[in-house]
Structures are given as structure tokens and as C-alpha cells.
Amino acid sequence: MAIREILTVPDPRLKEVSKPVEGGVTDELRALMDDMLETMYDAPGIGLAAIQIGVPLRIIVMDLAKEGEEPQPKYFVNPEIVETVEETLPYEEGCLSVPDIFDEVERPARCRIQYMDYDGFKVDEWCEGLYAVCIQHEMDHLEGTLFIDHLSRLKRQRAIDKVKKAKLRALREDAA
Ligand code: K1U
Ligand code: ZN
């Protein structure tokens, strides 16, 4: 297992639409999902899409266990949202690709998803609460959409500028 670098804005790869996994869940894919989970735990975060480590495949990992609880890793291969409810839920979101920026996004409160799990079994289930928020945020990544794309143009640009400045500052500190 390995910790991979997480891409941050304005890296153009984050705008790519990820491709479906062909040919089922192989050992190679499971090794990628293991790396993604380790990278997510290290960050730390509660979800990660493959494109965030530069791999344009429709794969997501997630763990919504609270501190002190047993880990509950979840793996999603070729996930699809097949139904949503009209009711919406506002939630203060963050993103490992837009570090240290948090803002409210309103999304459907519940959604039904279909995907293949770590062992290649098909799953069909309803999500609600943080699970619904996180899977919709991660599904957005597969379409090249970031949570800041749901904000006003001004807020989005401010967020990108803030991340750029922080990256420059870190580079300068490393060079000193
Ligand atoms: O970058 C990502 O896609 C991961 C992101 C997932 C997410 C968070 C909040 C709402 C929607 C989606 C994160 O994990 S940001 C970090 C975070 O939320 C967190 C980190 C440590 C402990 C608890 C939460
Ligand atoms: Zn994100």
C-alpha cells in the first residue's frame, strides 16, 4: 500500500470526466483502492475519488466511522445515482483538493445508488445524512465537478486564489 499525492486546484486533471472501469474488479484495481484508502486516512478525509490522485477511473473510497469507532471502509466501482428525493439538505462541505476551504452546499437529502464493491458484487442501496452528502460530493468528482463549482463565481475564485497562495507559501518555506 502507498500514500499518493492528492491533486489540488487549479490542477486541470480535477476537471476531467472519469472513465468507467471495464472488465470487473481485478487485483490491480483492489491495490489502487487500498492506496486510495490509505491516502484518504492519511490526509485525513472521509472520502476520495480516484481522479484526486490523478487516476481518471470511476472509483470512490469512503469511511464515515467516527473517531474511536471501528473503521468502516467502503469501496465504490462504477457508482451511479439512480434516484434522488426532492427534499434537500444543506451541509458545510470540505474537499481534500481544495484544502482549508469550507462552505455550504445544498444537495438532495437522500439518493439511491448502484455500484460494485471491493469484491465485485453489485450493490443497490439508499443513502441519507452524511452518506448521501459524501457520495454526491464524490460522484461530482467523477464528472470533473468540485464542491466550489456549486458556489458563486466570486466565492469559487476566492477559494482557488487562497489555495494557490497557500501552495506558493509552502513552496517558499520549503526552499528557505
Ligand atoms: O476531497 C474529498 O472528496 C474528501 C472530502 C469529503 C467530504 C467532506 C465533507 C462533505 C462532503 C464530502 C473530505 O473528506 S474533506 C475532510 C473532512 O471532511 C474530514 C476530515 C477529517 C475528519 C472529518 C472530516
Ligand atoms: Zn472532494
Side-chain angles (χ1 to χ4, degrees):
M1 288 213 281
I3 294 168
R4 312 268 199 109
E5 188 193 340
I6 297 178
L7 309 181
T8 54
V9 288
D11 192 306
R13 287 171 287 182
L14 290 167
K15 305 306 291 176
E16 276 182 44
V17 177
S18 295
K19 293 201 168 50
V21 167
E22 309 279 359
V25 183
T26 59
D27 283 345
E28 194 186 346
L29 221 60
R30 276 187 275 270
L32 170 65
M33 293 194 279
D34 292 344
D35 281 1
M36 287 173 62
L37 198 74
E38 197 180 359
T39 304
M40 185 198 83
Y41 285 142
D42 177 70
I46 55 173
L48 193 77
I51 192 60
Q52 292 181 274
I53 57 163
V55 179
L57 286 174
R58 300 185 82 82
I59 302 174
I60 291 166
V61 297
M62 195 184 293
D63 191 333
L64 301 179
K66 296 191 188 79
E67 231 182 285
E69 284 180 1
E70 279 291 300
Q72 291 160 28
K74 285 180 76 72
Y75 308 85
F76 306 82
V77 177
N78 292 343
E80 285 177 62
I81 294 177
V82 293
E83 225 176 314
T84 54
V85 296
E86 278 198 19
E87 182 193 344
T88 58
L89 177 76
Y91 193 88
E92 184 100 340
E93 298 192 12
C95 180
L96 300 174
S97 295
V98 195
D100 301 320
I101 305 289
F102 300 88
D103 215 324
E104 193 171 281
V105 177
E106 192 141 353
R107 302 182 187 271
R110 289 177 291 286
C111 60
R112 184 177 151 219
I113 57 170
Q114 292 176 346
Y115 60 95
M116 272 187 295
D117 67 12
Y118 193 82
D119 299 307
F121 291 113
K122 285 186 181 165
V123 182
D124 183 328
E125 66 190 7
W126 277 93
C127 313
E128 62 178 7
L130 182 55
Y131 188 16
V133 171
C134 196
I135 194 70
Q136 290 177 79
H137 174 115
E138 301 306 333
M139 292 289 301
D140 266 359
H141 276 299
L142 306 188
E143 299 302 322
T145 300
L146 298 168
F147 85 98
I148 53 171
D149 295 323
H150 293 281
L151 309 177
S152 69
R153 199 189 309 181
L154 181 66
K155 278 189 169 186
R156 178 163 61 249
Q157 199 50 56
R158 271 198 194 143
I160 294 169
D161 290 346
K162 226 171 158 181
V163 176
K164 273 181 170 174
K165 267 190 197 153
K167 284 203 267 190
L168 273 175
R169 210 176 307 124
L171 272 176
R172 273 197 223 108
E173 279 167 13
D174 280 354

